[in-house]
Amino acid sequence: MKNLILAIESSCDDSSIAVMDIDTKELLFCQKISQESQHKQYGGVVPELASRLHLEALPNILKNASRYFPQIRAVAVTNAPGLSVTLNEGIMMAKALSISLNVPLIGVNHLIGHIYSLFINRDFINDIMVLLVSGGHTKILYLQDDYRHIKELASTIDDSFGESFDKVAKMLNLGYPGGPIIESLAQQARPTIPFPIPLKQSKEIKFSYSGLKNAVRLAINQGIYSKEEIAASFQQAAITHLTMKLNKLFKTTQPPKHFAVVGGASANRALREEIDKLASKYKFDVLYPQMKYCSDNAAMIARIGVDMYHNQDFTHYKDLQAISKVSFDTEILS
Ligand code: KG4
Ligand code: ZN
């Protein structure tokens, strides 16, 4: 008889359930149903549609995990941040399972879940600086000891990195999600358009993507560039913005021992190449999630769920709620 945790993720447009061994941290089951094709025609996620699709997909996945039920010792579920209506689909299922299996319930912060995507099928590392690049967030976080000690060092003041790829893809009528589409188009042209690098003159470590997005819109309206040229030039400017700010950060503060990039956009190979260059320049160790765990998935929720289980970090079902926005303790960088 094993001791297992079952995890549920439904914070946006991916319905996913995973089962992990609490003692060995081995991932035994992970299934995900993405809703990308259904949201494609709208150029972004439509919350009510996403919620209805979770309602269909989650029970179908759960059926496939039912053989593990007798060994489940806890249920973990993403309860923040995300779309309230979609978070609630996962939360309701988690509450029902926790009550019927008579096991504790664990509420997981999705952003910290992304950090723990690094530790799926591998040991936990602390003292790690993390660049989180997803559809909803662009942040530099610092994980000191464990998930309870996370500081936010920098964030975006407007759009996020992944969101800017989605918006540029929408402007070019390329569908959703924009990240992988823009990345593959960018490989087919040279970045010849000199888009402005956001906040280039500012010493502050913070991010901004709305100005770049507007510059891309103007270039599209000129009607003289190919989609490939736009994609290549935009991607290069978007990545240069991140690496310029990281360069500024590492020049003024001690570079970390470990640095990681997580979140859906950490799958971007051009971004990984630039981060690898920084790693050899500043001599830090760099970590990325496996490609299949970059975008939203329940395996990362199970992985942090295991550590929360060991700390008995449980929430009573009456208290577990969907929270659409979260904040971390911040440390201002100059
Ligand atoms: O982490 P994630 O799956 O969901 C959120 O928590 O937001 O991230 C999804 C985001 C989308 O904006 C998508 O366009 C972006 O990640 N993304 C990428 C790539 N793959 C996904 N952005 C740039 N390059 C990629 N290859
Ligand atoms: Zn995510």
Side-chain angles (χ1 to χ4, degrees):
M1 199 74 166
K2 290 180 174 173
N3 297 312
L4 308 179
I5 191 165
L6 183 142
I8 305 171
E9 160 64 39
S10 67
S11 64
C12 190
D13 59 342
D14 292 300
S15 316
S16 183
I17 295 180
V19 175
M20 189 174 276
D21 190 311
I22 289 174
D23 304 309
T24 65
K25 303 184 181 85
E26 185 191 354
L27 180 64
L28 301 175
F29 172 92
C30 182
Q31 202 186 331
K32 160 165 143 171
I33 298 178
S34 290
Q35 309 173 355
E36 286 166 4
S37 57
Q38 289 94 333
H39 294 290
K40 216 173 198 139
Q41 56 180 307
Y42 305 105
V45 177
V46 181
E48 280 68 28
L49 173 63
S51 164
R52 191 172 58 69
L53 294 169
H54 284 303
L55 191 61
E56 251 171 64
L58 286 173
N60 286 335
I61 305 176
L62 188 66
K63 267 190 248 160
N64 300 333
S66 60
R67 63 184 182 280
Y68 296 106
F69 283 1
Q71 302 172 84
I72 300 295
R73 304 287 171 259
V75 177
V77 62
T78 302
N79 75 310
L83 302 166
S84 303
V85 284
T86 65
L87 287 166
N88 273 325
E89 297 298 335
I91 291 173
M92 280 189 293
M93 175 174 271
K95 286 183 179 181
L97 280 169
S98 133
I99 294 167
S100 54
L101 299 173
N102 194 23
V103 295
L105 189 61
I106 296 171
V108 173
N109 176 323
H110 178 85
L111 304 185
I112 310 179
H114 273 299
I115 301 180
Y116 276 67
S117 68
L118 296 166
F119 313 128
I120 297 167
N121 294 328
R122 61 168 288 177
D123 286 338
F124 172 77
I125 300 172
N126 64 357
D127 218 349
I128 174 166
M129 191 183 278
V130 181
L131 173 66
L132 166 73
V133 273
S134 66
H137 300 85
T138 301
K139 289 183 186 298
I140 302 176
L141 300 171
Y142 197 85
L143 178 144
Q144 218 162 5
D145 305 313
D146 66 13
Y147 63 89
R148 292 167 296 192
H149 301 97
I150 295 187
K151 280 212 164 76
E152 181 175 306
L153 307 183
S155 190
T156 177
I157 53 173
D158 43 56
D159 293 349
S160 77
F161 181 79
E163 185 181 12
S164 70
F165 279 69
D166 295 334
K167 288 185 173 170
V168 168
K170 191 173 179 180
M171 288 189 255
L172 291 168
N173 289 320
L174 297 171
Y176 171 87
I181 307 171
I182 296 287
E183 183 180 10
S184 79
L185 271 187
Q187 285 159 2
Q188 298 163 41
R190 286 179 36 74
T192 45
I193 313 164
F195 286 129
I197 308 301
L199 306 177
K200 193 174 171 182
Q201 307 306 334
S202 161
K203 287 199 179 108
E204 284 177 81
I205 311 292
K206 59 186 180 189
F207 305 109
S208 167
Y209 281 97
S210 71
L212 175 59
K213 174 189 68 190
N214 289 331
V216 172
R217 178 176 289 123
L218 293 175
I220 294 172
N221 290 346
Q222 280 184 302
I224 53 172
Y225 302 111
S226 69
K227 288 183 177 184
E228 289 80 3
E229 277 175 290
I230 303 247
S233 310
F234 155 73
Q235 176 174 274
Q236 190 186 56
I239 293 174
T240 303
H241 174 39
L242 288 180
T243 52
M244 265 190 177
K245 289 297 175 188
L246 288 171
N247 250 309
K248 274 196 178 133
L249 176 61
F250 299 146
K251 272 186 192 150
T252 51
T253 58
Q254 173 84 2
K257 193 165 168 230
H258 308 289
F259 186 82
V261 189
V262 304
S266 67
N268 187 294
R269 287 175 204 276
L271 172 63
R272 288 188 178 205
E273 272 171 29
E274 293 307 315
I275 298 290
D276 288 345
K277 285 183 200 160
L278 284 180
S280 41
K281 180 172 172 188
Y282 293 101
K283 308 212 174 334
F284 55 73
D285 185 43
V286 63
L287 294 97
Y288 303 102
Q290 284 179 52
M291 281 295 179
K292 59 183 167 185
Y293 302 128
C294 291
S295 59
D296 293 348
N297 64 84
M300 66 189 197
I301 306 304
R303 182 63 185 83
I304 182 174
V306 165
D307 285 18
M308 293 178 78
Y309 179 87
H310 288 303
N311 291 326
Q312 300 204 354
D313 209 341
F314 306 140
T315 306
H316 193 276
Y317 71 86
K318 284 184 189 153
D319 299 324
L320 192 74
Q321 285 179 7
I323 302 167
S324 55
K325 285 198 166 60
V326 293
S327 59
F328 294 96
D329 288 346
T330 50
E331 194 172 292
I332 304 300
L333 296 169
S334 54

